[in-house]
Amino acid sequence: MCSSDLSGGRCNSYWGDRSLWERCLTQGSTRLGAAAYNANFLIVQSEDSIVMLHEQIHEARVIPIGNKPHVGSSVRQWMGDSRARWDGDTLVIDTTNFTDKTNFNGSAENLHMIERISRVDANTLGYVVTFEDPTTWTQSWTVDLPMPKTQGEMYEYACHEGNYGLHGILEIGRAHV
């Protein structure tokens, strides 16, 4: 049972009620806003894959390049199933198969993302992403963001070191149930 007057609409008595991000597992989907805290990216390409490493919550998307089909619709993943291809100088990433635990602006398992990344100049990537989910939005919508080259190093994101926030949330939530 959830006490909504204390929870702001979210349950506090069970760890599974908390978001995947609060539990330091994943943010899922894409991170918009290159200027956000710990928003550094490292993008590496091999012969058959792209790896997009995100500093926050230590996430790495390993994305096959080429004509490989998406995995079957019964296979669901927190960050979806991504496939990449080159369209001239633009990397196009098509992502489907999110889980029902993915939460991006109210969208979950029906989210479909199409990302386009291109070099604008020596210090900037152009990042355009289109979101589709007919069960959440009446039409697709697109965000176009410049991603400036970051200065400095990427660091390990140690989300759980000394993190007593979740423990405190659950302890107080359980005391009021």
Side-chain angles (χ1 to χ4, degrees), residues 79-109:
M79 292 192 296
D81 178 56
S82 298
R83 297 294 184 254
R85 62 179 173 78
W86 285 100
D87 182 9
D89 291 338
T90 300
L91 179 67
V92 179
I93 304 170
D94 183 84
T95 307
T96 61
N97 294 40
F98 290 94
T99 76
D100 60 352
K101 293 175 179 42
T102 301
N103 182 358
F104 181 77
N105 290 0
S107 181
E109 70 270 12

Coordinates of all heavy atoms in Angstrom, one line a residue, residues 79-109:
M79 N 17.5 -0.4 -22.3 CA 17.9 0.7 -23.2 C 17.5 0.4 -24.6 O 17.9 1.0 -25.6 CB 19.4 0.9 -23.1 CG 19.8 1.5 -21.8 SD 21.5 2.2 -21.8 CE 22.4 0.7 -22.0
G80 N 16.6 -0.6 -24.8 CA 16.1 -1.0 -26.1 C 17.1 -1.7 -26.9 O 18.2 -2.0 -26.4
D81 N 16.7 -2.1 -28.1 CA 17.6 -2.8 -29.0 C 17.9 -1.9 -30.2 O 17.0 -1.5 -30.9 CB 16.8 -4.1 -29.6 CG 17.7 -4.8 -30.6 OD1 18.8 -5.2 -30.2 OD2 17.2 -5.0 -31.7
S82 N 19.2 -1.5 -30.3 CA 19.6 -0.5 -31.2 C 20.3 -1.1 -32.4 O 21.1 -2.1 -32.2 CB 20.5 0.5 -30.6 OG 19.9 1.2 -29.5
R83 N 20.1 -0.6 -33.6 CA 20.8 -0.9 -34.8 C 21.2 0.3 -35.5 O 20.5 1.3 -35.5 CB 19.9 -1.7 -35.7 CG 19.4 -3.1 -35.2 CD 20.6 -4.0 -35.0 NE 20.2 -5.3 -34.5 CZ 20.4 -5.8 -33.3 NH1 20.9 -5.0 -32.4 NH2 20.0 -7.0 -33.0
A84 N 22.5 0.4 -36.0 CA 23.0 1.6 -36.6 C 23.4 1.3 -38.1 O 23.6 0.2 -38.5 CB 24.3 2.0 -35.9
R85 N 23.3 2.4 -38.8 CA 23.8 2.4 -40.2 C 24.3 3.8 -40.5 O 23.9 4.8 -39.9 CB 22.7 2.0 -41.2 CG 21.5 3.0 -41.2 CD 20.4 2.6 -42.1 NE 19.2 3.4 -42.0 CZ 19.1 4.6 -42.5 NH1 20.1 5.2 -43.2 NH2 18.0 5.3 -42.3
W86 N 25.1 3.9 -41.5 CA 25.6 5.2 -42.0 C 24.8 5.6 -43.2 O 24.5 4.9 -44.1 CB 27.1 5.1 -42.4 CG 28.0 5.0 -41.2 CD1 28.6 3.9 -40.7 CD2 28.4 6.1 -40.4 NE1 29.3 4.2 -39.6 CE2 29.2 5.6 -39.4 CE3 28.1 7.5 -40.4 CZ2 29.8 6.4 -38.4 CZ3 28.7 8.3 -39.4 CH2 29.5 7.7 -38.5
D87 N 24.3 6.9 -43.1 CA 23.6 7.5 -44.2 C 24.5 8.7 -44.6 O 24.4 9.8 -44.1 CB 22.2 8.0 -43.8 CG 21.4 8.6 -44.9 OD1 21.9 8.6 -46.1 OD2 20.4 9.2 -44.6
G88 N 25.4 8.4 -45.5 CA 26.4 9.5 -45.9 C 27.3 9.7 -44.7 O 27.9 8.7 -44.1
D89 N 27.4 10.9 -44.2 CA 28.2 11.2 -43.0 C 27.4 11.2 -41.7 O 27.9 11.7 -40.7 CB 28.9 12.6 -43.2 CG 29.9 12.6 -44.3 OD1 30.5 11.5 -44.6 OD2 30.2 13.7 -44.8
T90 N 26.2 10.8 -41.8 CA 25.3 10.7 -40.6 C 25.1 9.3 -40.1 O 24.8 8.4 -40.9 CB 24.0 11.4 -40.9 OG1 24.2 12.7 -41.4 CG2 23.0 11.4 -39.7
L91 N 25.4 9.1 -38.8 CA 25.1 7.8 -38.2 C 23.6 7.8 -37.7 O 23.2 8.7 -37.0 CB 26.0 7.6 -36.9 CG 25.8 6.4 -36.2 CD1 26.2 5.2 -37.0 CD2 26.6 6.4 -34.8
V92 N 22.9 6.8 -38.2 CA 21.5 6.7 -37.9 C 21.3 5.5 -37.0 O 21.7 4.4 -37.4 CB 20.6 6.6 -39.2 CG1 19.1 6.4 -38.8 CG2 20.8 7.7 -40.1
I93 N 20.7 5.7 -35.8 CA 20.5 4.6 -34.9 C 19.0 4.5 -34.6 O 18.3 5.4 -34.2 CB 21.2 4.9 -33.5 CG1 22.7 5.2 -33.7 CG2 21.0 3.8 -32.5 CD1 23.4 5.7 -32.5
D94 N 18.5 3.3 -34.9 CA 17.1 2.9 -34.8 C 17.0 2.0 -33.5 O 17.6 1.0 -33.5 CB 16.6 2.2 -36.0 CG 15.2 1.9 -36.0 OD1 14.4 2.8 -36.3 OD2 14.8 0.8 -35.6
T95 N 16.2 2.4 -32.6 CA 16.0 1.7 -31.3 C 14.6 1.3 -31.0 O 13.7 2.2 -31.0 CB 16.7 2.5 -30.1 OG1 18.0 2.9 -30.5 CG2 16.7 1.6 -28.9
T96 N 14.3 0.1 -30.8 CA 13.0 -0.5 -30.4 C 13.2 -1.4 -29.2 O 14.2 -1.5 -28.7 CB 12.4 -1.3 -31.6 OG1 13.3 -2.4 -31.9 CG2 12.3 -0.4 -32.9
N97 N 12.1 -2.1 -28.9 CA 12.1 -3.2 -27.9 C 12.5 -2.7 -26.5 O 13.3 -3.4 -25.8 CB 13.1 -4.3 -28.3 CG 12.6 -5.0 -29.6 OD1 12.1 -4.4 -30.5 ND2 12.7 -6.3 -29.6
F98 N 12.0 -1.6 -26.0 CA 12.2 -1.2 -24.7 C 11.3 -2.0 -23.8 O 10.4 -2.6 -24.2 CB 11.9 0.3 -24.5 CG 12.8 1.3 -25.2 CD1 12.6 1.7 -26.5 CD2 14.0 1.7 -24.5 CE1 13.5 2.6 -27.1 CE2 14.9 2.5 -25.2 CZ 14.6 3.0 -26.4
T99 N 11.7 -2.0 -22.5 CA 10.8 -2.8 -21.5 C 9.7 -1.9 -21.0 O 9.7 -0.7 -21.2 CB 11.6 -3.3 -20.3 OG1 11.9 -2.2 -19.4 CG2 12.9 -3.9 -20.7
D100 N 8.8 -2.4 -20.3 CA 7.7 -1.6 -19.7 C 8.3 -0.9 -18.5 O 7.6 0.0 -17.9 CB 6.5 -2.5 -19.3 CG 6.9 -3.6 -18.3 OD1 8.1 -3.8 -18.0 OD2 6.0 -4.3 -17.8
K101 N 9.5 -1.1 -18.1 CA 10.2 -0.4 -17.0 C 10.9 0.8 -17.5 O 11.3 1.7 -16.7 CB 11.1 -1.3 -16.2 CG 10.4 -2.4 -15.5 CD 11.3 -3.4 -14.8 CE 10.7 -4.5 -14.1 NZ 9.5 -5.1 -14.6
T102 N 11.1 0.9 -18.8 CA 11.7 2.1 -19.3 C 10.7 3.2 -19.2 O 9.5 3.0 -19.5 CB 12.0 1.9 -20.8 OG1 12.9 0.8 -21.0 CG2 12.6 3.1 -21.5
N103 N 11.1 4.4 -18.8 CA 10.2 5.5 -18.6 C 10.9 6.7 -19.2 O 11.8 7.3 -18.6 CB 9.8 5.7 -17.2 CG 8.9 6.9 -17.0 OD1 8.5 7.5 -18.0 ND2 8.5 7.1 -15.8
F104 N 10.4 7.1 -20.4 CA 10.9 8.3 -21.0 C 9.7 9.2 -21.3 O 8.9 8.9 -22.2 CB 11.7 8.0 -22.3 CG 12.2 9.3 -23.0 CD1 13.3 9.9 -22.4 CD2 11.5 9.8 -24.0 CE1 13.8 11.1 -23.0 CE2 12.0 11.0 -24.6 CZ 13.1 11.7 -24.1
N105 N 9.5 10.2 -20.5 CA 8.4 11.1 -20.7 C 7.1 10.4 -20.8 O 6.2 10.8 -21.6 CB 8.6 12.1 -21.8 CG 9.7 13.1 -21.6 OD1 10.3 13.1 -20.5 ND2 10.0 13.9 -22.5
G106 N 6.9 9.4 -20.0 CA 5.6 8.6 -20.0 C 5.6 7.4 -21.0 O 4.7 6.6 -20.9
S107 N 6.5 7.4 -21.9 CA 6.6 6.3 -22.8 C 7.4 5.1 -22.2 O 8.3 5.3 -21.4 CB 7.3 6.8 -24.1 OG 7.3 5.7 -25.0
A108 N 7.1 3.9 -22.6 CA 7.8 2.7 -22.1 C 8.0 1.7 -23.2 O 8.8 2.0 -24.1 CB 7.0 2.1 -21.0
E109 N 7.4 0.6 -23.2 CA 7.7 -0.5 -24.1 C 7.4 -0.2 -25.6 O 7.9 -0.9 -26.5 CB 7.0 -1.8 -23.7 CG 5.5 -1.8 -23.8 CD 4.8 -1.4 -22.6 OE1 5.4 -0.8 -21.7 OE2 3.6 -1.6 -22.6

